[in-house]
Amino acid sequence: MAEAADNQGASPAPARRRWLRRAAVLLTGTPVLAALVYAPAPPAQAAESAVDVQLTEVAPSAPVKSDTLTISGTVVNNSRETIKNAHVGLRVGPRLGDRSSIDEVADRKGFRPGVDPGEIDQAFSVKIDSLPAKVDQDFTIKVPVNKLDLGADGVYQLGISLSGSTDSRPGEQVLGIQRTFLPWQPDPAAKRSSLTYVWPLISTTHVTAESGSDELQTPVFLDDSLAEELRPGGRLERMVSLGKDLPITWVIDPDLLTTVDAMTKGYRVRSPEPGGKPVQGRNKALAEQWLSSLESAVQGKKVVALPFADPDLASLAHHGKDVSGTLGQLRPATDKAKDAVETVLHVTPSTDFSWPVDGAIDPSIVNVATSAGAHNVLTRSDSLQETGSLGYTPTAARPIGAGTTAVVADADLSTAFEGDMARAGDSTLAVQQFLAHSLALNLQNSDEPRSYVVAPQRRPSAMQAESMATALRGLQGGRWSQPSDLEAAAAAKPDPGAATQVPGAGQYPESLAKQELPVSAFEKIRTTRNTLDHFKVILTAPDRVEIPFGNTTNREMSTSWRGRPDDARIYRDDVQDYLIGLTDKVKVVPKSDATLSGHSATIPVSVQNSLVQDVHNLVLRVKSANPTRLVFGDSGEAEQEVTVQGGHSQTVKFTANATASGPVEVTARLFTKDGVPYGKERKFTVEATEITPTVMLVIAGGVLLLVLAGIKMYASRKRVAARAVAEDSTQPSDESPDTEPQSAEGSGTGETVDR
């Protein structure tokens, strides 16, 4: 209803406007009559939204004089009444004067008599006798271009409308209209713009910090969703298949290349079950095919490599730069980028470009963007805005100081395909509007040909990529633009009057600021990095952890986490937890309590290494909690260097001395050679028993008495045995048993005496 009210008399015919002005002058003295002047005008057209007109094809998208224009689409009756005696007609409007007129027409809703042009010859219309409620019907209009009466070169409005009647509104009326644009440049222009189209090959983070213990360190993926992007019809497959035949500049995140390359060597995927073991990835052949296609597609084209994992420059500038060590990751990310592209694609990329999210910049973003060595910052015209004094859109290259060039992408062209391009009607409208803007740019008044850049969304969908490719094919006639590459655009001669003032921090879009990584994210990344630094110094093969975790650190700062704060936090936590799990594989083995009897003894402590590689540069230190009772050497603590083979344990013995009796707590802990604590400390109790000289004399006396008693008993038994032998030797051999016993003097046993 509001839309209908807005349309009532919104743009009356010129004669009617003149009549109203005269009437107002004559009647201003009579309030009652003056009220008639402001009475609502009768509806210009009724039920404008009754029919939805969708366009599925405009071909050719930029015709020449000898062409036949074909416009296909669908009309949908959204009303509750049957539409009768209808037809679909073509309306060709006047040439649009500038780019703002194009945007105004694109945003216009509903039919506006006096503004929207009349139909061309109805011989080219399509008859529809009856269109029932909630029913749609396809149509195709064909008309020779020379019948359109197009004039000077420029952009013309096309309107495709359905007119008809219903039982409630018997008169013919326009029931629905769709507007689009016809770029008209039948002959090559005397001066043509240079147009650079950035073709982004960027995905989200797919690789975890985990890897296998095998020689290749088989990576573990978060899931197997990347395979869906690589398979025929997938997003990345379409980007490569379409891009190989287009005049574009490839802008690639090297992390994507290394990830797909890892798939070709074998990979594993996290189990969806909590605690489950990773399963073998099954899309090796798919990855090989995609990489082969990409390598072929980039030959002879300009390739720009972003820093590894496409770091979020704005987040780094606004929240990360004050966290120590954060910005130091950018330069290695740039170096890795070049190596990855050369290794995987066998081409040498440019690493001289940085690309903040949506091209939005402020001074701090520019400083961070160039800290990695880039001299060109890819920004956008809705960030580095013009004052309007030039009267035309200037060349993309703008010097912004300190040897840095802002390469300003055109905002209208760059955002042309951000909508849902799944419907053919939406794609057709976007393509025609893109071509219209590109022609309008070239027709602007300027003395020299200019250079423009298009930087679309980072991760276009498959259908968005199709629409982008269709638009670029529409420019291949080269009648008003010629293709260029990003390096040439950055090197183009700047317009002297173009805006070069970087917007202040307060002008950074709030919607983008809300998506940035918080300070806590960079603090967590720093913690992980510090843990890694302490870990790798004990390893004999530190590259096995330095390379994968270095890559993971870059991934934690990626633009791919924008809009996914929970996923980003979980990823960071998983990285830290996994690294701590690795460091815990080198540890002091828990030890039970021990008893130390005597003045001195050795105490064994074991160190276990469950890693596959050897560890060194470790020191095992034991410390007594009570050095007055238990000491190691001459003090309360002692240490020894430790080297442990992978998968083994090493036992280290320490000499302990007791100076007094009682329990003493002992702490055993590993340290790196530079004195940094490593791993958890282990505590155990030693029961010390100190033996004094007096106690030793008493024990010695007791032992002596026992020895003397033993000697005496031995001598006594020996004498008794000797007497028995002597007695047996003096007794007669034929003595009768009844013989009387001898006197005591003659006895040899002495038993009678003893008893």
Side-chain angles (χ1 to χ4, degrees), residues 455-606:
Q457 57 273 32
R458 265 177 157 76
R459 288 175 286 276
S461 68
M463 296 308 300
Q464 288 172 339
E466 296 277 2
S467 300
M468 290 156 52
T470 301
L472 284 173
R473 294 189 197 104
L475 292 174
Q476 284 184 335
R479 298 195 296 276
W480 64 83
S481 71
Q482 56 188 348
S484 183
D485 61 69
L486 197 55
E487 286 186 330
K493 181 181 178 182
D495 284 279
T500 58
Q501 183 66 42
V502 176
Q507 295 175 266
Y508 188 78
E510 184 179 355
S511 59
L512 293 180
K514 290 179 179 179
Q515 296 182 340
E516 293 175 353
L517 295 170
V519 173
S520 60
F522 295 102
E523 291 173 341
K524 186 63 171 284
I525 294 170
R526 178 181 59 185
T527 300
T528 301
R529 187 71 202 181
N530 290 340
T531 304
L532 177 64
D533 290 341
H534 294 155
F535 181 43
K536 68 182 182 182
V537 299
I538 73 167
L539 303 176
T540 55
D543 285 352
R544 287 183 64 89
V545 296
E546 173 65 18
I547 293 175
F549 276 99
N551 292 343
T552 301
T553 297
N554 295 134
R555 292 173 181 133
E556 290 177 300
M557 299 187 291
S558 173
T559 61
S560 70
W561 300 116
R562 285 204 167 225
R564 301 191 297 146
D566 292 339
D567 292 340
R569 177 182 50 78
I570 292 171
Y571 186 83
R572 293 190 298 271
D573 290 345
D574 286 349
V575 171
Q576 175 70 359
D577 292 345
Y578 179 67
L579 179 57
I580 291 175
L582 289 180
T583 63
D584 286 345
K585 289 181 179 292
V586 180
K587 61 185 178 182
V588 178
V589 178
K591 182 176 175 57
S592 58
D593 295 342
T595 300
L596 180 64
S597 298
H599 181 70
S600 178
T602 59
I603 297 177
V605 180
S606 296

Side-chain angles (χ1 to χ4, degrees), residues 492-730:
K493 181 181 178 182
D495 284 279
T500 58
Q501 183 66 42
V502 176
Q507 295 175 266
Y508 188 78
E510 184 179 355
S511 59
L512 293 180
K514 290 179 179 179
Q515 296 182 340
E516 293 175 353
L517 295 170
V519 173
S520 60
F522 295 102
E523 291 173 341
K524 186 63 171 284
I525 294 170
R526 178 181 59 185
T527 300
T528 301
R529 187 71 202 181
N530 290 340
T531 304
L532 177 64
D533 290 341
H534 294 155
F535 181 43
K536 68 182 182 182
V537 299
I538 73 167
L539 303 176
T540 55
D543 285 352
R544 287 183 64 89
V545 296
E546 173 65 18
I547 293 175
F549 276 99
N551 292 343
T552 301
T553 297
N554 295 134
R555 292 173 181 133
E556 290 177 300
M557 299 187 291
S558 173
T559 61
S560 70
W561 300 116
R562 285 204 167 225
R564 301 191 297 146
D566 292 339
D567 292 340
R569 177 182 50 78
I570 292 171
Y571 186 83
R572 293 190 298 271
D573 290 345
D574 286 349
V575 171
Q576 175 70 359
D577 292 345
Y578 179 67
L579 179 57
I580 291 175
L582 289 180
T583 63
D584 286 345
K585 289 181 179 292
V586 180
K587 61 185 178 182
V588 178
V589 178
K591 182 176 175 57
S592 58
D593 295 342
T595 300
L596 180 64
S597 298
H599 181 70
S600 178
T602 59
I603 297 177
V605 180
S606 296
V607 178
Q608 184 182 58
N609 175 18
S610 298
L611 299 172
V612 296
Q613 63 171 296
D614 300 349
V615 295
H616 62 172
N617 294 331
L618 278 172
V619 173
L620 177 60
R621 185 180 300 171
V622 292
K623 183 177 181 180
S624 170
N626 190 348
T628 61
R629 181 175 294 172
L630 182 69
V631 297
F632 294 96
D634 298 329
S635 64
E637 63 181 53
E639 62 182 37
Q640 294 186 45
E641 291 189 17
V642 180
T643 297
V644 189
Q645 292 182 338
H648 290 75
S649 296
Q650 178 71 38
T651 299
V652 182
K653 295 182 179 180
F654 293 90
T655 300
N657 297 293
T659 59
S661 299
V664 179
E665 185 179 72
V666 176
T667 301
R669 189 169 194 180
L670 289 170
F671 290 81
T672 61
K673 289 192 71 174
D674 53 3
V676 178
Y678 182 91
K680 298 177 181 178
E681 62 182 20
R682 300 293 186 184
K683 295 184 177 182
F684 57 94
T685 300
V686 175
E687 186 69 35
T689 306
E690 193 267 337
I691 304 175
T692 65
T694 302
V695 173
M696 291 295 293
L697 288 174
V698 172
I699 293 174
V703 171
L704 179 60
L705 290 175
L706 288 174
V707 171
L708 292 174
I711 293 172
K712 184 178 180 182
M713 291 176 62
Y714 175 75
S716 177
R717 288 182 179 179
K718 194 172 182 180
R719 287 195 300 271
V720 171
R723 289 182 191 141
V725 170
E727 185 177 320
D728 289 343
S729 64
T730 59

Side-chain angles (χ1 to χ4, degrees), residues 160-451:
I160 297 85
S161 61
L162 182 132
S163 302
S165 62
T166 63
D167 289 341
S168 61
R169 300 179 184 277
E172 182 179 277
Q173 55 197 303
V174 177
L175 300 175
I177 188 171
Q178 183 61 265
R179 300 176 184 84
T180 188
F181 307 97
L182 190 69
W184 179 241
Q185 178 77 54
D187 300 313
K191 75 175 172 60
R192 295 179 297 164
S193 305
S194 294
L195 190 139
T196 298
Y197 206 104
V198 168
W199 200 254
L201 215 56
I202 302 170
S203 187
T204 55
T205 296
H206 295 279
V207 183
T208 70
E210 302 171 37
S211 61
S213 59
D214 55 302
E215 183 177 352
L216 294 177
Q217 292 185 265
T218 302
V220 177
F221 284 37
L222 290 167
D223 51 42
D224 218 1
S225 60
L226 181 57
E228 298 304 313
E229 296 188 66
L230 301 178
R231 69 178 67 258
R235 189 182 72 84
L236 291 173
E237 187 277 334
R238 297 310 300 146
M239 291 294 292
V240 172
S241 297
L242 295 167
K244 66 182 178 64
D245 297 322
L246 297 172
I248 57 173
T249 295
W250 296 89
V251 175
I252 300 176
D253 175 11
D255 182 30
L256 174 61
L257 300 184
T258 59
T259 299
V260 180
D261 187 55
M263 293 176 68
T264 68
K265 297 177 175 64
Y267 67 106
R268 295 185 297 164
V269 179
R270 270 187 181 175
S271 171
E273 300 297 329
K277 293 184 177 180
V279 298
Q280 190 65 37
R282 301 180 180 275
N283 292 288
K284 177 180 178 181
L286 187 64
E288 291 173 339
Q289 176 59 45
W290 186 83
L291 274 186
S292 176
S293 298
L294 176 59
E295 183 178 356
S296 175
V298 299
Q299 300 305 313
K301 303 279 185 69
K302 290 292 183 180
V303 176
V304 171
L306 298 174
F308 190 90
D310 187 19
D312 191 335
L313 301 175
S315 294
L316 285 162
H318 297 155
H319 305 293
K321 66 180 180 181
D322 295 328
V323 178
S324 61
T326 299
L327 295 186
Q329 306 302 313
L330 283 178
R331 173 65 74 171
T334 299
D335 295 338
K336 281 187 282 189
K338 184 174 184 294
D339 292 342
V341 174
E342 290 180 343
T343 300
V344 178
L345 298 182
H346 306 103
V347 297
T348 301
S350 168
T351 57
D352 204 22
F353 291 85
S354 59
W355 189 11
V357 172
D358 286 359
I361 60 172
D362 61 23
S364 64
I365 294 175
V366 172
N367 290 337
V368 168
T370 56
S371 66
H375 297 90
N376 302 298
V377 180
L378 187 56
T379 180
R380 210 165 66 182
S381 60
D382 51 357
S383 181
L384 198 63
Q385 296 182 0
E386 295 300 320
T387 61
S389 59
L390 283 179
Y392 61 86
T393 304
T395 282
R398 319 277 180 84
I400 55 176
T404 302
T405 298
V407 182
V408 184
D410 186 84
D412 284 330
L413 297 180
S414 298
T415 59
F417 304 105
E418 287 189 351
D420 182 7
M421 298 290 109
R423 292 201 321 169
D426 294 334
S427 175
T428 298
L429 295 178
V431 168
Q432 294 305 122
Q433 189 169 351
F434 177 92
L435 295 175
H437 270 291
S438 68
L439 176 56
L441 277 170
N442 192 62
L443 292 173
Q444 291 174 339
N445 295 324
S446 65
D447 296 331
E448 300 291 335
R450 283 158 293 152
S451 174

